[in-house]
Amino acid sequence: MAEQQRIVINGGKRLEGEISVQGAKNSALPLLAATVLCGGQSVLHNCPHLSDCDFACRILECLGCKCTREKNTVTVDSSVISGTEVPASLMREMRSSIIFLGSVLARCGHCRMSFPGGCELGPRPIDFHLSALREMGAQIDERHGYLECTAPKGLHGARITLSFSSVGATENIMLAASLAEGTTEIHNAAREPEIADLAAFLNKCGGKIKGAGESTVVIEGVKQLGACEHRIMPDRIAAATYLCCGAITGGELILTNADHDHLRPVIAVLERMACSIYTYGKGNVFINVRRPLVSPRTVRTNVHPGFPTDAQPPLMALTAVAEGTSVFVENIFENRFKHAGELVRLGANISVEGRVAVVIGTKKLLGAELVATDLRGGAALVTAALAAEGTSRITGLSHIDRGYENIEGVLRSVGADIVRK
Ligand code: UD1
């Protein structure tokens, strides 16, 4: 159904107004997985309405949890876990379902799930996740495309050094270690803000985690975790996308319910492009663009607090109409420039060579038929289409719906001519 739908944008409308930033998808998913560890009723506020969150709830239901949603509050009752298998269909729908491995294994001593495999951004190995869990005492069989994981004697603490600061692996280890016997240290841990949000939730449930958000995280295992109520942090990538949307239309937007600190790496680049940005109060970000946009020169994606890879596609859309040449170096994923080919259909001048993309700013983009092939790439197409003269039609909406809550409604509310048909 969603595949046949399209977003139709008549570009050139200046965006003006206020956008309340949704809750973070990348925090909601590990937090939903974390509820498996808590034998009780966990309440997550600010949980965005996204297909990925729906898939996570379906996984929880397969495990025997009861999930209910009331607007943006999701309640998960995990008093009883009656299953330890995640169906292959759900594993395929959402690559990050691997995040359930640590929590199911820690709570039940067993977990069976299919290998998540690659994805639209290139190969997405899970070797760090598996080797860390093995160091914690898990036996993992990889056969016939399935992972059969057991911890017959329970998991135990370990000193784990990640060779790359993987977000998902850091989260999986934190989940598993929370109910493991003894203390786990994660060295070279990911420092993304979502890690600190997960630790805050687990600590409220009775966990003992220190150092989340820093490169060494120490988790003292506890016998059991209770449930708690938690408000999911704001989505820094959705916020970055809407800042790019405002900027590309020469608009004036106020984002509310954002987090200034999380947005610093993105704001720094937008300021280099001649956007005026003010942060004030509790979570307000004002952007206003009066002068022509200029190239930010070189943008290198990196782990936090570097420039986030997820914000690279919408920023690339913005540089397509900025004066001068911009260079993107993608350091996190191998294949993250698929949107470039679609942006070229709008008249952008972009060439890609391996992990480097060179964008030469053009004065004008013209509406075109576009296909979103991944989540943030889809957001880049929406961003560019807002500035393109004439009509653009974007298909492949299931990708965009994974991460943006009602994107067309949000943009329409600030003056975009955008509908979903
Ligand atoms: C998370 C985010 C995603 C973001 C990414 C990087 C969620 C749900 N998703 O993904 O939006 O783009 O962080 O900020 O939070 N790697 C391995 N082996 C592993 C694990 C990762 O080689 O076992 C590699 C990956 O292929 C990739 C890099 O490490 O090249 C970063 O991946 P990782 O930080 O794990 O990203 P995710 O947690 O999958």
Side-chain angles (χ1 to χ4, degrees):
M1 290 140 341
E3 277 312 323
Q4 280 110 46
Q5 288 188 334
R6 58 196 62 213
I7 283 180
V8 181
I9 299 176
N10 289 308
K13 304 278 185 295
R14 182 170 183 268
L15 299 192
E16 210 178 312
E18 197 174 299
I19 292 176
S20 168
V21 177
Q22 67 186 55
K25 168 182 90 78
N26 287 354
S27 197
L29 300 177
L31 289 174
L32 287 166
T35 62
V36 171
L37 297 169
C38 315
Q41 196 163 293
S42 308
V43 182
L44 295 174
H45 299 291
N46 204 28
C47 185
H49 273 271
L50 301 169
S51 55
D52 268 11
C53 293
D54 293 342
F55 285 127
C57 288
R58 280 170 60 192
I59 292 176
L60 286 168
E61 281 164 358
C62 288
L63 301 171
C65 302
K66 293 191 185 77
C67 296
T68 50
R69 179 186 271 278
E70 177 68 38
K71 296 192 175 146
N72 280 29
T73 296
V74 171
T75 304
V76 183
D77 186 342
S78 56
S79 310
V80 178
I81 301 288
S82 52
T84 54
E85 181 164 346
V86 180
S89 55
L90 288 174
M91 289 300 292
R92 273 192 195 285
E93 287 291 352
M94 192 176 68
R95 190 214 169 262
S96 43
S97 41
I98 189 68
I99 200 68
F100 280 84
L101 183 56
S103 54
V104 177
L105 193 57
R107 170 100 189 250
C108 306
H110 175 258
C111 183
R112 186 171 194 267
M113 51 169 57
S114 74
F115 224 86
C119 81
E120 53 280 352
L121 307 181
R124 300 271 295 253
I126 52 165
D127 49 333
F128 304 154
H129 301 243
L130 301 187
S131 67
L133 291 171
R134 283 187 174 115
E135 283 182 63
M136 297 175 71
Q139 287 175 9
I140 305 177
D141 260 2
E142 302 171 54
R143 258 188 261 168
H144 307 296
Y146 268 86
L147 296 164
E148 183 84 43
C149 313
T150 49
K153 294 185 196 141
L155 295 169
H156 54 74
R159 189 176 195 277
I160 296 160
T161 301
L162 292 172
S163 55
F164 182 87
S165 307
S166 156
V167 176
T170 302
E171 291 165 346
N172 234 339
I173 300 166
M174 283 165 65
L175 292 169
S178 290
L179 286 186
E181 174 95 41
T183 301
T184 300
E185 288 177 17
I186 314 174
H187 296 272
N188 197 26
R191 290 178 289 159
E192 270 63 8
E194 291 77 9
I195 303 287
D197 206 23
L198 176 60
F201 172 85
L202 289 168
N203 284 343
K204 273 190 224 168
C205 295
K208 292 188 176 166
I209 302 178
K210 286 194 186 132
E214 295 162 30
S215 60
T216 301
V217 181
V218 180
I219 308 113
E220 207 183 303
V222 296
K223 288 251 174 310
Q224 61 180 42
L225 290 168
C228 80
E229 208 167 322
H230 183 77
R231 184 175 171 82
I232 296 175
M233 61 172 258
D235 195 312
R236 62 198 169 98
I237 306 302
T241 304
Y242 292 130
L243 289 175
C244 291
C245 290
I248 205 166
T249 67
E252 194 171 291
L253 289 180
I254 296 170
L255 303 188
T256 58
N257 299 313
D259 189 307
H260 314 156
D261 276 348
H262 301 169
L263 284 168
R264 262 180 223 290
V266 173
I267 289 175
V269 172
L270 290 174
E271 284 179 336
R272 281 193 340 239
M273 296 184 74
C275 300
S276 304
I277 300 182
Y278 306 95
T279 57
Y280 61 97
K282 200 173 174 291
N284 302 311
V285 183
F286 172 79
I287 182 166
N288 152 333
V289 178
R290 291 209 189 279
R291 288 182 289 141
L293 291 164
V294 294
S295 131
R297 313 286 292 237
T298 303
V299 178
R300 294 180 179 81
T301 65
N302 218 327
V303 295
H304 193 78
F307 188 85
T309 173
D310 289 353
Q312 173 262 108
L315 185 77
M316 184 180 289
L318 194 57
T319 60
V321 294
E323 271 173 21
T325 301
S326 310
V327 176
F328 287 86
V329 184
E330 175 53 58
N331 289 313
I332 309 295
F333 290 108
E334 271 176 44
N335 191 8
R336 201 163 202 180
F337 288 137
K338 281 196 186 149
H339 47 283
E342 294 300 296
L343 294 175
V344 167
R345 288 175 195 269
L346 294 167
N349 183 343
I350 306 175
S351 42
V352 173
E353 190 64 50
R355 288 181 177 235
V356 177
V358 178
V359 186
I360 300 174
T362 48
K363 285 220 155 37
K364 195 154 91 172
L365 299 176
L366 292 175
E369 309 272 323
L370 304 167
V371 183
T373 54
D374 66 90
L375 165 57
R376 307 300 172 187
L381 306 187
V382 171
T383 307
L386 290 172
E389 204 176 289
T391 306
S392 296
R393 292 182 184 80
I394 304 171
T395 52
L397 304 189
S398 59
H399 294 290
I400 298 176
D401 293 338
R402 285 187 42 224
Y404 295 89
E405 191 173 51
N406 185 20
I407 193 167
E408 68 278 10
V410 168
L411 291 170
R412 201 164 44 237
S413 75
V414 289
D417 182 345
I418 176 171
V419 285
R420 181 185 290 242
K421 292 188 184 164

